[in-house]
Amino acid sequence: MSTTEPSSQLSRRLFLGGAVAAGGAVAAVNPFSALAASAARGRPPQRADARQGGYGPLSPTPDQRDGVSRLALPAGFSYLGFGFEGDRMSDGNLTPKAHDGMGALALPNGNVRLIRNHEDRDRPGVSPLDGDPASPAYDPLGPGGTTSLEVKTNADGSAELVRDFVSLQGTIVNCAGGLTPWGSWITSEETTAGETQGWTKDHGYNFEVPGSAEDEITPVPLKAMGRFVHEAVAVDPATGIVYETEDRSFVEGRDDPATGDRVGSGFYRFIPDTPGDMTAGRLQVLAVRNRPNYNTTVGQTINRGLPVVWVDIDDPDPAAAEIDSSAVFRQGLAEGAAVFTRLEGVWPGNGSIFFASTSGGEAGEGQVWEYRPAGPNGILRLIFESPSEAVLDNPDNITVSPRGGVLLCEDGDGETLFMRGLTRNGRIFDFAQELETGREWCGATFSPDANTLFANIQGDTRSGGGGNLGKTFAIWGPFEDGAL
């Protein structure tokens, strides 16, 4: 086990210089502190009405795109749908399917750059993302990647699409990722498939897309960050350490890769050799001090601090990963790494890193964890656990308003799925409901001025699905009247 805490700090020039900056990535307050304190006193989660941080009941609201009511929102809120699957983009390509993780960055002209993932799960060569033929795809058979959008926002938060284009192609199953403080988006592959599955390249990596890019980039796999079933990343702005989540389920006692049984997820950190450069560095996974293979999935106590150590991953890019997607995590398990289930969204703020376990908890409906890198190696706390689908139905992507409220995207089994907010005093409320498809919410991100919320409905991830289209929405209204 490694217990070394790096001391390198990223320079002000690296974080604040340059033409593009991340928007809304870090809040000035810890919105979960009151929530944890309330839960620690044994109180069940409470609902927030319009006087307590919520925004009131939801009602079907017409889309300014065409008047169709696709979302239910609180009174006073409006939205515009754009970037739908199949829409013709500015570069002549059709908008691809399977909208997922997304980040918002400020452009020098005052507009917003959105970089959007596409979690296309088609088999090799079925529906490749059609970018510029002159630009090299990472894997010419890979259907996934990212699209970049330039959006103009107005003082009232309303928005209009300026242009959109393919910015990375040839990857697969681009699920989530995260913004960097130096103005880029990390897109993450949620698979370790490779040549034995018919691809021309190994997959299971992160890739960086600059917010300043105005055309396709040349994809470079960030192999030092690990080859595993990636979900999301979050960069600690104080140190440049990158935290990574892994989306694998945990089933007690079932860990045979030959049968497909799953061993769970690790919570990782990547310490770059040069802050801001993720091509080389050290990969580690979290363990609970003196509690080898600590099981976080059940039996947890809200707000109990668990002291952490970090286990080195000797081989972040093992050849065995193509056959065994847990090959990286197994290295950590052998040294006592803690076990999570379905780690998905991750968010940095107020000196902490917050992340969601989508199916964790006694009810299997989700947990929210806080890792605070204080002391020699840091402290891990469970700060929220959903007791039922009615309270919170499997949180996936997580983001925070610059005003301090927390927004959770549901990815559950309910007939309708919500984006739900958490107030700073621990109350939960419904903010938006999708009315058409029952597909998951994802990619929620606030504009740099905090007046506009962008979010995606994923749609179908494979060709020949149910005809559910991926969609992007800009939502605006009286955010200042509530927690968001």
Side-chain angles (χ1 to χ4, degrees), residues 369-423:
W369 292 86
E370 175 193 22
Y371 166 69
R372 190 163 187 85
N377 293 287
I379 299 294
L380 177 71
R381 298 180 192 276
L382 176 67
I383 57 175
F384 182 78
E385 183 171 303
S386 176
S388 69
E389 180 182 294
V391 172
L392 180 63
D393 189 3
N394 298 124
D396 189 327
N397 287 180
I398 180 174
T399 192
V400 66
S401 163
R403 284 170 287 269
V406 176
L407 190 65
L408 299 163
C409 294
E410 289 190 334
D411 178 18
D413 297 324
E415 293 184 5
T416 58
L417 295 175
F418 295 84
M419 283 195 291
R420 301 190 197 259
L422 288 174
T423 70

Side-chain angles (χ1 to χ4, degrees), residues 40 42 119 125 132 153 214 216 326 335 364 404 424-425 434 477:
E119 192 186 327
D132 183 350
T153 57
E214 295 291 342
E216 282 186 60
S326 294
E335 298 296 328
R424 283 182 283 175
N425 65 355
E434 196 270 343

Side-chain angles (χ1 to χ4, degrees), residues 294-311:
Y294 184 84
N295 180 3
T296 68
T297 64
V298 292
Q300 301 306 296
T301 301
I302 296 289
N303 210 31
R304 179 179 63 186
L306 298 169
V308 163
V309 293
W310 290 92
V311 173

Side-chain angles (χ1 to χ4, degrees), residues 248-250 252 263-267 286-288 291-302 304 306-308 329 333 336-343 355-364 366-370 380-385:
R248 295 298 306 270
S249 296
F250 173 74
E252 185 73 56
V263 298
S265 303
F267 182 63
L286 180 146
V288 174
R291 302 288 296 273
N293 301 137
Y294 184 84
N295 180 3
T296 68
T297 64
V298 292
Q300 301 306 296
T301 301
I302 296 289
R304 179 179 63 186
L306 298 169
V308 163
F329 186 44
L333 283 175
V339 177
F340 297 86
T341 186
R342 291 194 65 194
L343 289 188
F355 57 99
S357 169
T358 295
S359 57
E362 300 295 333
Q367 301 165 317
V368 179
W369 292 86
E370 175 193 22
L380 177 71
R381 298 180 192 276
L382 176 67
I383 57 175
F384 182 78
E385 183 171 303

Side-chain angles (χ1 to χ4, degrees), residues 176-223:
L179 294 168
T180 73
W182 51 89
S184 63
W185 168 255
I186 306 300
T187 181
S188 304
E189 293 185 307
E190 194 185 11
T191 180
T192 60
E195 293 183 21
T196 60
Q197 288 85 27
W199 306 103
T200 68
K201 292 284 186 68
D202 291 338
H203 293 273
Y205 302 114
N206 290 327
F207 297 78
E208 186 171 14
V209 182
S212 58
E214 295 291 342
D215 201 345
E216 282 186 60
I217 67 162
T218 299
V220 177
L222 301 171
K223 297 185 176 182

Side-chain angles (χ1 to χ4, degrees), residues 200-262:
T200 68
K201 292 284 186 68
D202 291 338
H203 293 273
Y205 302 114
N206 290 327
F207 297 78
E208 186 171 14
V209 182
S212 58
E214 295 291 342
D215 201 345
E216 282 186 60
I217 67 162
T218 299
V220 177
L222 301 171
K223 297 185 176 182
M225 296 182 76
R227 186 184 182 190
F228 53 86
V229 180
H230 287 278
E231 179 68 27
V233 303
V235 183
D236 183 345
T239 63
I241 295 173
V242 185
Y243 294 87
E244 308 181 65
T245 56
E246 178 178 32
D247 188 3
R248 295 298 306 270
S249 296
F250 173 74
V251 181
E252 185 73 56
R254 299 172 63 187
D255 60 358
D256 183 1
T259 65
D261 294 331
R262 298 180 175 182

Side-chain angles (χ1 to χ4, degrees), residues 11-158:
S11 69
R12 180 177 177 82
R13 179 191 61 80
L14 178 61
F15 272 174
L16 301 182
V20 188
V26 179
V29 294
N30 180 353
F32 286 115
S33 57
L35 174 65
S38 176
R41 292 190 292 269
R43 298 176 183 172
Q46 294 177 300
R47 304 286 296 181
D49 62 23
R51 297 168 299 175
Q52 300 165 321
Y55 296 91
L58 310 185
S59 299
T61 306
D63 189 341
Q64 293 196 5
R65 174 186 175 102
D66 53 14
V68 175
S69 292
R70 296 185 171 91
L71 306 181
L73 296 173
F77 283 88
S78 302
Y79 68 98
L80 171 71
F82 61 97
F84 285 16
E85 177 186 341
D87 284 356
R88 182 73 61 181
M89 294 193 293
S90 304
D91 63 359
N93 296 295
L94 298 179
T95 301
K97 65 166 66 67
H99 298 25
D100 208 283
M102 185 167 65
L105 300 153
L107 288 171
N109 63 3
N111 290 344
V112 176
R113 166 75 75 226
L114 295 178
I115 306 178
R116 181 180 59 198
N117 280 0
H118 294 276
E119 192 186 327
D120 193 315
R121 291 180 174 270
D122 277 325
R123 63 184 184 275
V126 169
S127 61
L129 189 151
D130 294 322
D132 183 350
S135 298
Y138 173 66
D139 181 338
L141 300 181
T146 65
T147 51
S148 291
L149 304 86
E150 181 176 346
V151 179
K152 181 179 183 295
T153 57
N154 303 308
D156 64 354
S158 60

